[in-house]
Amino acid sequence: MTAKRTGNGGTFSGIGSQVDIKGLTRDRPWLLPSNRKIRHLEGISLRNLSLSRTSAQVQQSKTADDEALPTSLITPTKALSLRERKLEHSRSSNDLRTPPTSRKILDSSNGNDRLSTDPGKVRPVKGKIRRRSTLNWTSAPPQVRQKKLEDATSSRLADAWFSLHCQGMNEPVYVSEMVEKAMNFDFRFFDLNTYAPWITRRDQLTIKFWARTGSQQEYKLVLELDVHFRSLQYIGKSLENFHHPLPRNCVLLHLSDGIYTSFTDLPLDEPVLANLAGPRNAQSAQSTSTFDELMRLSNLDDCIQDALATREKVTSQINSILEKQKNDRELIQSAAQAQDLWTSSKRAVSTAQRQIRAAQARRSELEASLQARRNAIRSGTLSQEKSQSHLVSARINLADDVSLLKETRSGLTGQVRRVCEDLLQVYPVEPIPKKALAFTILGLPLPNATSPSLDPATTAAALGYAAHVTHVLSLYLSIHLPYPITPCGSSSTIYDPISVSLQSEAARTFPLSQKGAVTYRFEYGVFLLNSDIELLMSRQGIKIVDLRHTLPNLKYLLTVLTSGRGELPERKGGRTELGSPVGKLYTRDHGSGEEANGSLTKTVLKRKKSTSRLQSPLGRESGPVLNQVR
């Protein structure tokens, strides 16, 4: 349902919007001016706070520039610029040149340019003239600019609060909270429906604003406004679509249907109805409410007032009953507090007793631990005294053991040289003439890489000899090979216990002969053999040049092991004399004389039996050769 009516202020269309005289669409208030009451007030805001009082005479009617200065007269240059009508920003941050005192100015008051001879129009000169600087801190650092802005705004910032007063009441109806350091204040919303009806049904109210600046100690009354709700002007639901400039100390009233204020320079948007005093037409009369509806409304109001009075009466009765029973309540509360105190005390006592029992048990444990430590210290002291008594004899035997160790090492080195010489005689490794890094073992050539031109049987036999020498060297040098070798001539194999990808035992055994085997398994077996030779060389402190050179590396290792000064020691028989270093150890540990010889003989016999059970290190093929060497 829409309705239109026209007036002096503009045209209204619809229920919730209206068009003002400027053609802008604005919201329309829901409350009629006669229906606006104090109960509809929900909040108050203050805009453009100003603590200084200025009279109407001090009003700026033009922009503040150099034209307002008394010394700014019309000079020839200024007259020329005005005639050209060229507007430029005044960057008057530099000093102007001092004009001569006898310079005349142009008199353009009559429209003609001529020199003025009136001494009153001569521009006064006092030394060097300097115009007002307008850009004196545009290039200043941010800290200086921030400080100037704070100084400029600090004089206008204030702390403010307000109070609401009704006529006939000494005390304020409502006192707001204080908002600090602001120019535009948005106070907290409130609800006035809790007051009596004779207050909430009024349409007049007095608002007092109190404020102080940072330099003031006490609050001062800044604004006292008598508000009549019927004379308020509607702004809208919010200030987003309101573009009219707000005056100083503008008070905004937040009612239930929107924001209202009282302007003196805002154009009147509400329509002015014509012929208000004239006779009304009978057809324009509209019915509002019937007599029965008004009676029901009156009865409802009486019921509400009776309910409020009953509530107040019941409240007073309850308060009187509570006041009479105040001593009983205090006694009950004190009894409950005493009960709680007794319960907490009992709980604290039981907790303290548990802690005492735990402390006693801990003390018993510590006493037992201390006693055990005392006993251990006593036994340790006794054992230390016994050790001190044996320390003297142990120091005497230490020198003998050191000298015996040196003799054993020197003898062991000589035996290793002799064994390696025997291996070089059994398996001679000789270079091939006119070929670099090419060697033969027992006359069989072994290439450093796989060559299809050589006989596979010859290569397998040479690899078997090299594997046998490597296996024997590991036994004599007491070095465990990571890849164990099974020497069996041209059918020798090597075992890989390290690789994770290999599952079965057959897959971990790699042949050293190319005949009847997969090529990559044969090549991997040769790689494992070279790795064993590399380990033997590294244990002797020899750096390997190339891992693929099997016979050159083996020849290099045997050459280093056979090098040394002096003659080779003779091979001793399978017995130990008492005069030898080992015999001295048996003599010291098992006594002297026949007892030592008996125990030594038993030990040698046991070693011979265990040695006879083992296979010869050189294998079956080298048995006759070793017998010949022996």
Side-chain angles (χ1 to χ4, degrees), residues 369-387:
S369 177
L370 290 175
Q371 186 63 32
R373 291 181 182 182
R374 291 191 185 97
N375 297 334
I377 291 173
R378 191 178 297 106
S379 61
T381 304
L382 295 177
S383 62
Q384 185 178 3
E385 292 176 355
K386 292 180 181 179
S387 300

Side-chain angles (χ1 to χ4, degrees), residues 56 359 448 506 576:
N448 296 327
T576 304

Side-chain angles (χ1 to χ4, degrees), residues 162-413:
F162 71 91
S163 60
L164 303 180
H165 302 266
C166 290
Q167 186 177 3
M169 297 182 61
N170 297 327
E171 298 296 330
V173 177
Y174 176 78
V175 178
S176 70
E177 77 282 358
M178 183 183 65
V179 180
E180 300 179 351
K181 294 182 179 179
M183 294 174 57
N184 299 322
F185 298 88
D186 291 324
F187 297 97
R188 190 181 306 166
F189 279 36
F190 48 83
D191 185 13
L192 300 179
N193 291 322
T194 57
Y195 291 93
W198 61 275
I199 295 178
T200 58
R201 294 178 181 178
R202 294 188 178 186
D203 58 355
Q204 292 184 2
L205 188 67
T206 301
I207 306 175
K208 295 182 180 181
F209 285 92
W210 306 80
R212 69 175 182 183
T213 59
S215 60
Q216 298 176 355
Q217 298 295 333
E218 298 180 356
Y219 288 93
K220 296 182 179 180
L221 181 60
V222 178
L223 178 63
E224 182 176 356
L225 181 63
D226 294 332
V227 180
H228 196 285
F229 284 83
R230 293 189 178 185
S231 62
L232 295 178
Q233 293 175 335
Y234 183 73
I235 295 179
K237 295 294 184 180
S238 63
L239 296 176
E240 295 179 356
N241 298 326
F242 186 75
H243 305 289
H244 189 78
L246 298 176
R248 295 187 307 165
N249 297 333
C250 179
V251 180
L252 302 178
L253 304 179
H254 298 266
L255 272 66
S256 58
D257 62 337
I259 303 175
Y260 291 82
T261 187
S262 178
F263 289 124
T264 58
D265 55 347
L266 181 67
L268 184 60
D269 292 335
E270 295 184 358
V272 179
L273 299 181
N275 301 325
L276 292 178
R280 297 185 177 181
N281 190 2
Q283 297 180 357
S284 64
Q286 298 178 0
S287 61
T288 57
S289 299
T290 62
F291 178 77
D292 295 336
E293 292 176 352
L294 293 177
M295 291 301 295
R296 284 197 298 269
L297 181 61
S298 178
N299 294 334
L300 181 61
D301 185 48
D302 294 338
C303 293
I304 293 174
Q305 296 300 325
D306 293 341
L308 293 175
T310 305
R311 185 185 65 178
E312 294 294 335
K313 184 178 179 180
V314 172
T315 303
S316 62
Q317 292 178 358
I318 292 174
N319 292 334
S320 62
I321 293 173
L322 293 177
E323 186 67 25
K324 292 178 181 179
Q325 297 178 356
K326 182 177 180 181
N327 297 331
D328 298 338
R329 291 200 310 274
E330 292 179 355
L331 182 61
I332 294 173
Q333 291 178 359
S334 60
Q337 292 177 359
Q339 183 69 22
D340 295 340
L341 181 61
W342 177 79
T343 304
S344 60
S345 301
K346 186 178 179 180
R347 192 181 301 108
V349 169
S350 61
T351 303
Q353 290 177 355
R354 288 196 301 269
Q355 292 177 354
I356 290 173
R357 288 193 295 269
Q360 291 176 353
R362 178 62 178 169
R363 185 185 65 181
S364 302
E365 293 178 359
L366 292 176
E367 289 178 353
S369 177
L370 290 175
Q371 186 63 32
R373 291 181 182 182
R374 291 191 185 97
N375 297 334
I377 291 173
R378 191 178 297 106
S379 61
T381 304
L382 295 177
S383 62
Q384 185 178 3
E385 292 176 355
K386 292 180 181 179
S387 300
Q388 291 291 340
S389 60
H390 294 291
L391 185 59
V392 179
S393 58
R395 287 178 179 175
I396 296 174
N397 296 330
L398 179 61
D400 298 338
D401 293 343
V402 171
S403 60
L404 181 60
L405 180 61
K406 291 181 181 180
E407 292 177 4
T408 304
R409 285 180 177 175
S410 61
L412 182 61
T413 304

